[in-house]
Amino acid sequence: MCADLSKNRTLWFDELSMPEAEKAAEEGKVVIIPCGSIEEHGGHLPLCTDSIQAEYVALGVARKAGCLVAPPLRYGLCSSTRNFPGTITITFDSLRSMMTDILEDFIRNGFKRLLIITGHAGGSHMTALKLAAKTVVTNHMNEEDRPRIMVCSDYDFAFDLRGKEFDDRDSHAGTIETSRMMAIRSDLIKAKGKRNYPDLPRFEVVPDPERYFPSGVMGDPTVASSEKGQKINAYVIEQIVKLVKELEQ
């Protein structure tokens, strides 16, 4: 878990006392729920890459916007990388059910503005999270002060830079993701990584997608840098702060 460097106050929800949690709810604090995965990221990045990025962004947003960060959920749903060594995936129903329970209990505690940030952005994973949010807001749709929930991936914003400053094919464990990890946790970088742009089938559903990218990489990590990562991370945080401000309105 990424440490909070603030000396004056905690940003982590679970480090609050009971009275502090009650007060935060009364003040209408936005709570960010960071999600990730345990997933292969080539031979150069750690299995916690998606989780580290989401937690880093969540803390960065919290420092700027004055919100709280919930304990992270580091298990996710991984489809295309499931058969690689190290990937630990949970089922669609498990992820949806777990997030539904988490959201409902924050609402029961009086928190009505919630933001899920996930560093893992696989299609089924995102659908499970969005379905959980949809279920919860529907459950409370007739309440006077009904809850508002947003679901996004930090890559909804990081990939804005593809085709501008980075190759528009860049993806999993490529330039952008490797650069971000260099800026966040350079000590976890295992190697330089190798360039690979796989030719994946556009429409066919296959049981063994790993045969199209056996290196586990979709992009070019060889041109990554900490400086690029700092710029990307700053941009992502800036965009998500805007979402928090929108929730507070």
Side-chain angles (χ1 to χ4, degrees):
M1 185 184 296
C2 296
D4 170 33
L5 303 179
S6 173
K7 296 181 179 180
N8 299 320
R9 62 185 176 88
T10 183
L11 301 176
W12 291 106
F13 176 83
D14 59 348
E15 292 182 357
L16 299 177
S17 66
M18 179 175 65
E20 288 172 332
E22 183 177 35
K23 181 181 179 183
E26 292 171 351
E27 292 175 346
K29 290 281 189 181
V30 172
V31 177
I32 300 175
I33 305 170
C35 300
S37 66
I38 302 173
E39 181 189 36
E40 71 80 19
H41 278 74
H44 62 294
L45 296 180
L47 302 174
C48 62
T49 290
D50 289 342
S51 301
I52 290 288
Q53 292 172 96
E55 291 159 26
Y56 178 86
V57 167
L59 287 170
V61 172
R63 291 189 185 100
K64 288 180 175 291
C67 43
L68 292 166
V69 181
L73 178 61
R74 284 196 168 190
Y75 289 95
L77 172 55
C78 304
S79 297
S80 62
T81 60
R82 182 176 187 179
N83 295 330
F84 283 96
T87 296
I88 306 295
T89 184
I90 58 177
T91 65
F92 182 95
D93 287 339
S94 294
L95 180 59
R96 176 193 54 77
S97 180
M98 188 178 303
M99 185 53 67
T100 299
D101 287 348
I102 291 169
L103 292 170
E104 284 286 8
D105 236 43
F106 270 109
I107 292 169
R108 183 182 64 81
N109 274 274
F111 294 92
K112 299 296 183 73
R113 303 292 183 266
L114 303 166
L115 173 59
I116 299 170
I117 298 175
T118 174
H120 179 60
S124 298
H125 178 90
M126 294 300 299
T127 299
L129 296 177
K130 290 177 180 179
L131 183 56
K134 177 68 171 179
T135 298
V136 172
V137 295
T138 302
N139 289 345
H140 298 272
M141 65 182 297
N142 294 321
E143 298 175 5
E144 182 176 350
D145 181 23
R146 63 188 192 182
R148 296 178 62 194
I149 303 172
M150 290 185 178
V151 181
C152 69
S153 167
D154 50 357
Y155 278 89
D156 288 325
F157 306 101
F159 281 168
D160 285 348
L161 304 175
R162 290 194 301 189
K164 300 174 184 177
E165 301 181 37
F166 303 96
D167 193 299
D168 58 9
R169 299 168 296 169
D170 191 69
S171 186
H172 185 74
T175 308
I176 293 176
E177 193 157 29
T178 302
S179 294
R180 295 185 67 197
M181 282 299 290
M182 285 180 169
I184 299 170
R185 287 292 305 273
S186 61
D187 59 304
L188 294 179
I189 306 297
K190 314 294 181 177
K192 187 173 183 179
K194 296 181 180 180
R195 180 180 185 272
N196 181 51
Y197 290 107
D199 186 17
L200 299 172
R202 186 176 178 188
F203 298 110
E204 184 181 1
V205 178
V206 296
D208 53 351
E210 67 277 1
R211 67 189 170 99
Y212 294 96
F213 61 112
S215 68
V217 175
M218 302 179 190
D220 187 1
T222 66
V223 295
S225 71
S226 177
E227 291 73 23
K228 291 176 182 177
Q230 291 170 10
K231 184 175 181 179
I232 299 164
N233 290 331
Y235 174 78
V236 171
I237 290 171
E238 178 185 355
Q239 299 309 307
I240 297 180
V241 166
K242 294 177 183 178
L243 296 185
V244 171
K245 297 302 182 183
E246 185 178 336
L247 277 174
E248 292 175 336
Q249 293 177 0

